[in-house]
Amino acid sequence: MGKASIIIYIVIAVLLLLLLSHSPKKNSDHRHRRLKLRSNFSVTPFSTHHTHHEHVAFDPLVADIERHREDKQWEKQYIEHSHPEFDGHDSAPGEESQPEWEDFMDAEDYLNDEEKFNVTSRLILLFPKIDVDPADGFVTEHELTEWNMQQAQKEVLHRTEREMELHDKNRDGFVSFSEYDPPSWVQNGDNNTFGYEMGWWKEEHFNASDLDGNGLLNLTEFNDFLHPADTKNPKLLQWLCKEEIRERDTDKDGKLNLKEFFHGLFDLVRNYDEEGHNSSHNPDSSVDAPARMLFAQLDKDGDGYLSDDELLPIIGKIHPSEHYYAKQQADYIISQADADKDGRLTLTEMIDNPYVFYSAIFNDEEEEYDYHDEFR
Ligand SMILES: *[C@@H]1O[C@H](CO)[C@@H](O)[C@H](O)[C@H]1NC(C)=O
Ligand SMILES: *[C@@H]1O[C@H](CO)[C@@H](O)[C@H](O)[C@H]1NC(C)=O
Ligand SMILES: *[C@@H]1O[C@H](CO)[C@@H](O)[C@H](O)[C@H]1NC(C)=O
Ligand SMILES: *[C@@H]1O[C@H](CO)[C@@H](O)[C@H](O)[C@H]1NC(C)=O
Ligand SMILES: *[C@@H]1O[C@H](CO)[C@@H](O)[C@H](O)[C@H]1NC(C)=O
Ligand SMILES: *[C@@H]1O[C@H](CO)[C@@H](O)[C@H](O)[C@H]1NC(C)=O
Ligand SMILES: [Ca+2]
Ligand SMILES: [Ca+2]
């Protein structure tokens, strides 16, 4: 009864722990899981690489419930923001005396009532809507990415509509530059947050978003203004490149040299490409070979500097778009639910792993909710 047996016990304990922590999801007991809506909502609708990206619910019905709830939170914040005279104690006019939390409870009870919200029949219903390209009984990564994109775009547009309501003071369906006030958290925020530094609120950004140049932003243009990484508007993409340079351009010559590129941007791009994670480089060391190669590729006119035009090919990697997140999410779901490892999902595989699809709202007593970390 010496050290040896103690060590064996420890080894067994460690192995058991490892086994437990890696046990496949589908073997765990569903009955202890509760579906839970996103519990928090933040007023920052801007998607850049600096902000936390919230992923959208897989099931449009869940997305609807979350949206409804978010709208209520938003209204509340809006009232507090635009009428600061009503502090937390007095309720603003038009506001229900009962807080929205009751509705939220109801929604979660609804989701957790198997009679009302039957996850299996939801998946049976949704499957043919996802399996469309082609409809062959398999959901591929591409189909799932497209599906996620559709859900995300609906969500983004909805938030833009809400923002628009806030800014379009004369209610003509357009936002003019003078109507647009940056939210208070930008005005009061410290200057290190991206908003100020990147000139997010400046007129140039506004003008670049104004596709038809009539001085007003309609819903599409305003949506692009808020989500420049997802735009197809070339003027706006150009602006984004210019901002990117402005932010990294330490010697203020309006272009990026190799050093500025390496220390500011290259790591963003490198981390974005999974396969680029290869070189174990020391961030303080001199510019490494992959960075030199990419720089040379991008530097089309070979003058040793990157201009905004030359940054255009990688702007989508600097600012991940909704498509990027949609694909991440699709890959994650497939990796979790693809039992026969053929890279695509059958309806059976989906039904056998329902909580992969509802994990955004899934909550478990002992397991912390950390699903989002996968995507950042
Ligand atoms: C919501 O977010 C705030 C800060 O953003 C945090 O203090 C609070 O604990 C969060 N609430 C929940 C339920 O996660
Ligand atoms: C859920 O739906 C499936 C398929 O529609 C059905 O077989 C099952 O009995 C339903 N479960 C409940 C609890 O209603
Ligand atoms: C941020 O910068 C602006 C203009 O450069 C300045 O007026 C303001 O005081 C600064 N705010 C803080 C919190 O440093
Ligand atoms: C934006 O466009 C307006 C005309 O629509 C012009 O007056 C203004 O100078 C432009 N601002 C910038 C920063 O380009
Ligand atoms: C907004 O204006 C642009 C440019 O004219 C146009 O392409 C787009 O369809 C308009 N969007 C809406 C919602 O009217
Ligand atoms: C990793 O780096 C080595 C040399 O540094 C290279 O030969 C290899 O192709 C790289 N692998 C990938 C996946 O990039
Ligand atoms: Ca298919
Ligand atoms: Ca499969």
Side-chain angles (χ1 to χ4, degrees):
M1 197 57 187
K3 282 182 187 158
S5 51
I6 293 178
I7 288 173
I8 287 171
Y9 280 127
I10 291 174
V11 167
I12 289 173
V14 168
L15 284 178
L16 270 176
L17 270 176
L18 278 176
L19 260 175
L20 283 175
S21 59
H22 285 111
S23 64
K25 296 241 175 222
K26 67 174 188 168
N27 288 346
S28 38
D29 188 1
H30 292 164
R31 279 168 302 183
H32 288 144
R33 300 189 151 174
R34 266 187 71 79
L35 297 174
K36 214 167 175 336
L37 293 166
R38 275 186 312 204
S39 56
N40 239 334
F41 160 65
S42 79
V43 244
T44 59
F46 310 100
S47 71
T48 73
H49 56 84
H50 293 296
T51 56
H52 178 70
H53 186 268
E54 256 174 24
H55 102 119
V56 179
F58 167 80
D59 187 328
L61 191 59
V62 175
D64 254 10
I65 296 173
E66 288 188 337
R67 202 173 293 154
H68 184 67
R69 170 172 144 166
E70 200 183 276
D71 282 349
K72 290 199 159 188
Q73 263 174 290
W74 185 85
E75 273 165 32
K76 190 161 177 286
Q77 283 173 359
Y78 170 53
I79 288 169
E80 278 165 7
H81 168 251
S82 55
H83 303 281
E85 65 270 24
F86 303 111
D87 60 19
H89 303 290
D90 312 320
S91 62
E95 201 186 6
E96 311 294 336
S97 54
Q98 284 293 312
E100 303 74 22
W101 287 106
E102 273 195 353
D103 292 9
F104 304 167
M105 294 304 187
D106 289 349
E108 274 158 28
D109 287 346
Y110 168 80
L111 289 178
N112 286 288
D113 185 333
E114 275 182 48
E115 304 270 304
K116 292 180 188 147
F117 189 79
N118 181 331
V119 174
T120 303
S121 56
R122 286 302 298 165
L123 288 172
I124 293 172
L125 183 83
L126 293 178
F127 190 85
K129 298 185 182 181
I130 307 169
D131 175 24
V132 291
D133 186 23
D136 56 0
F138 296 100
V139 162
T140 59
E141 184 208 40
H142 170 71
E143 286 168 329
L144 199 50
T145 302
E146 285 303 306
W147 173 260
N148 291 340
M149 273 285 281
Q150 286 170 25
Q151 308 314 309
Q153 280 168 345
K154 255 190 263 172
E155 182 74 23
V156 163
L157 204 61
H158 176 76
R159 290 187 187 188
T160 298
E161 277 167 352
R162 219 168 42 194
E163 280 288 311
M164 185 120 179
E165 226 174 89
L166 177 61
H167 293 291
D168 176 16
K169 305 205 171 68
N170 68 357
R171 300 266 178 263
D172 63 352
F174 297 96
V175 175
S176 67
F177 186 63
S178 63
E179 272 176 337
Y180 192 77
D181 297 323
S184 57
W185 56 266
V186 172
Q187 287 167 335
N188 304 332
D190 67 272
N191 284 344
N192 291 328
T193 56
F194 70 92
Y196 234 113
E197 284 288 289
M198 289 183 61
W200 208 249
W201 312 104
K202 288 181 192 151
E203 197 172 3
E204 204 182 318
H205 174 200
F206 184 93
N207 283 4
S209 309
D210 183 11
L211 187 63
D212 59 6
N214 67 349
L216 300 168
L217 303 188
N218 68 13
L219 184 64
T220 319
E221 291 166 332
F222 190 52
N223 189 55
D224 283 352
F225 175 79
L226 297 179
H227 305 280
D230 292 299
T231 189
K232 292 191 175 67
N233 171 356
K235 262 200 301 185
L236 190 53
L237 287 172
Q238 192 91 18
W239 172 83
L240 205 52
C241 292
K242 258 167 102 176
E243 279 303 301
E244 210 50 64
I245 288 183
R246 210 172 301 183
E247 200 182 356
R248 320 283 173 187
D249 181 17
T250 43
D251 64 6
K252 305 286 175 216
D253 63 353
K255 311 168 279 196
L256 293 189
N257 60 34
L258 181 57
K259 250 202 168 123
E260 290 163 342
F261 171 70
F262 182 64
H263 291 296
L265 284 183
F266 182 62
D267 274 335
L268 283 177
V269 180
R270 188 212 305 269
N271 293 338
Y272 180 89
D273 296 322
E274 299 97 301
E275 71 273 15
H277 244 299
N278 182 12
S279 70
S280 56
H281 85 296
N282 166 0
D284 293 327
S285 72
S286 61
V287 180
D288 65 1
R292 280 180 199 283
M293 266 176 56
L294 181 60
F295 189 90
Q297 259 174 34
L298 294 173
D299 181 16
K300 287 280 188 297
D301 64 5
D303 68 349
Y305 297 99
L306 297 185
S307 63
D308 42 355
D309 284 327
E310 289 168 341
L311 219 49
L312 217 45
I314 57 162
I315 193 69
K317 296 186 177 183
I318 300 169
H319 293 270
S321 60
E322 285 300 336
H323 185 269
Y324 171 75
Y325 292 113
K327 184 167 172 299
Q328 289 278 297
Q329 200 176 327
D331 289 344
Y332 174 77
I333 285 176
I334 290 175
S335 77
Q336 297 295 301
D338 182 16
D340 67 1
K341 300 293 168 211
D342 68 347
R344 49 194 192 171
L345 301 180
T346 59
L347 178 57
T348 312
E349 283 172 327
M350 286 171 68
I351 290 172
D352 286 348
N353 298 279
Y355 288 92
V356 175
F357 300 91
Y358 292 90
S359 56
I361 53 170
F362 144 68
N363 196 20
D364 193 329
E365 299 305 321
E366 70 267 33
E367 202 170 358
E368 264 305 308
Y369 164 59
D370 59 359
Y371 179 73
H372 283 171
D373 294 347
E374 311 277 344
F375 305 113
R376 191 54 221 148

